[in-house]
Amino acid sequence: MGKSYGGSNVGVGETHVAAGPEVDVVDGASALSRAETERLITEATPDLSVFGPDIVAKAAILIGRYPESRSALLPMLHLVQSVEGHVSQAGVQFCAQQLNLTNAEVSAVVTFYTMFKRKPCGEHLVSVCTNTLCAMLGGDAIFQRLGEHLGEEGRPLGHEDTSGTPGEPGSITIEHAECLAACDLGPVLQVNYEFYDNQTPESAVELVDALRRGEKPAPTRGAPLTDLRSVALQLAGFFPEDEATYRSHVDGPSAAVETLRGAQLAADRGWTAPTMPENTPALPEVEKK
């Protein structure tokens, strides 16, 4: 037995136990499953064949839009997500190769932004706002009801869980969402980032049931509803070239009566903001210490 600093024996003892042949270090040290741990520590070459010549061509277009190729990373990630419904390890490597970045640099961005999904999503992504105001108005109850309705008996869906086979028609992924900037219309949810305002648990169930039947109920405001992969392609910056088709994909009501009520009230009563004075007062000087 050694001695601690100052010569005391208090608290000094064995700090490890020698691993015998029966100890599995991987199983004992990792919080992940053994299969997941081995996947992470095993050198593997992802199959990039899913990103065909059309995707490579689109990647070249994205790169050409920026003075520095690495600036195209965000739209490039949306592009690969439009192919697989999530950003796989193959998608990470594809972006890295196209932009001359490391896999670690791409992964750091993927894991920072919640719009990039790391596991396959359903045809539709239902995002329920559970931030403070929406949660108090019923957002938590909506998420709970959807989880129970879309899950199995005794096994409700949780955050980023999917009902059905990911990517297949009628499949739905649900997620908690941070503030969706629609507090005047709460509780709100989005389907593939299009708004459905003033929801209740009952209306939310009706909505997802319609989605599972292959219907596309019109959003409260915003563009017509489409599937998640199509939205990802639009977020990457690719739209139909002819004007009529383009407008049919993106046009829709954008402002709600509730949102404009304050501005309308001000207009009706003749209220205006004070004008900026011609000679603005000087800022106070800060004493140097």
Side-chain angles (χ1 to χ4, degrees), residues 160-175:
E160 293 191 343
D161 284 344
T162 299
S163 170
T165 303
E168 293 297 318
S171 57
I172 295 175
T173 298
I174 64 172
E175 67 173 358

Side-chain angles (χ1 to χ4, degrees), residues 25-253:
V25 176
V26 171
D27 283 344
S30 176
L32 302 174
S33 68
R34 181 178 181 83
E36 181 67 7
T37 302
E38 290 181 345
R39 185 187 69 79
L40 291 173
I41 64 177
T42 301
E43 291 292 333
T45 302
D47 181 10
L48 305 187
S49 62
V50 65
F51 305 111
D54 60 325
I55 300 302
V56 174
K58 284 183 171 65
I61 292 173
L62 292 177
I63 293 171
R65 293 175 179 173
Y66 299 89
E68 297 288 339
S69 62
R70 68 184 298 135
S71 299
L73 178 55
L74 290 181
M76 190 85 76
L77 288 168
H78 285 299
L79 178 63
V80 300
Q81 188 155 275
S82 75
V83 177
E84 296 188 287
H86 71 299
V87 181
S88 66
Q89 196 59 34
V92 169
Q93 185 159 322
F94 175 81
C95 291
Q97 290 182 356
Q98 297 295 318
L99 301 174
N100 195 27
L101 298 171
T102 66
N103 286 359
E105 288 174 311
V106 176
S107 295
V109 174
V110 173
T111 55
F112 182 83
Y113 292 101
T114 59
M115 290 181 78
F116 301 126
K117 307 304 181 186
R118 295 314 313 275
K119 60 182 182 179
C121 287
E123 180 188 21
H124 300 294
L125 174 65
V126 176
S127 310
V128 182
C129 183
T130 53
N131 213 328
T132 307
L133 184 57
C134 275
M136 292 178 64
L137 293 173
D140 283 344
I142 289 173
F143 188 89
Q144 181 178 353
R145 176 72 70 84
L146 289 181
E148 294 169 350
H149 183 69
L150 295 172
E152 300 176 0
E153 184 68 30
R155 297 181 61 186
L157 296 189
H159 177 63
E160 293 191 343
D161 284 344
T162 299
S163 170
T165 303
E168 293 297 318
S171 57
I172 295 175
T173 298
I174 64 172
E175 67 173 358
H176 288 283
E178 284 298 316
C179 182
L180 296 178
C183 300
D184 46 352
L185 299 162
V188 300
L189 60 81
Q190 290 180 334
V191 178
N192 306 330
Y193 306 117
E194 301 297 343
F195 278 99
Y196 293 81
D197 303 315
N198 296 313
Q199 291 295 298
T200 65
E202 292 73 26
S203 65
V205 167
E206 292 175 4
L207 175 59
V208 297
D209 283 347
L211 296 174
R212 292 202 287 185
R213 292 193 299 267
E215 301 171 16
K216 294 181 179 178
T220 309
R221 52 201 164 89
L225 185 64
T226 183
D227 61 277
L228 182 61
R229 296 191 189 192
S230 297
V231 169
L233 188 61
Q234 292 177 357
L235 290 170
F238 295 98
F239 296 89
E241 293 185 3
D242 65 284
E243 185 70 11
T245 306
Y246 168 76
R247 289 297 171 191
S248 70
H249 283 199
V250 303
D251 277 354

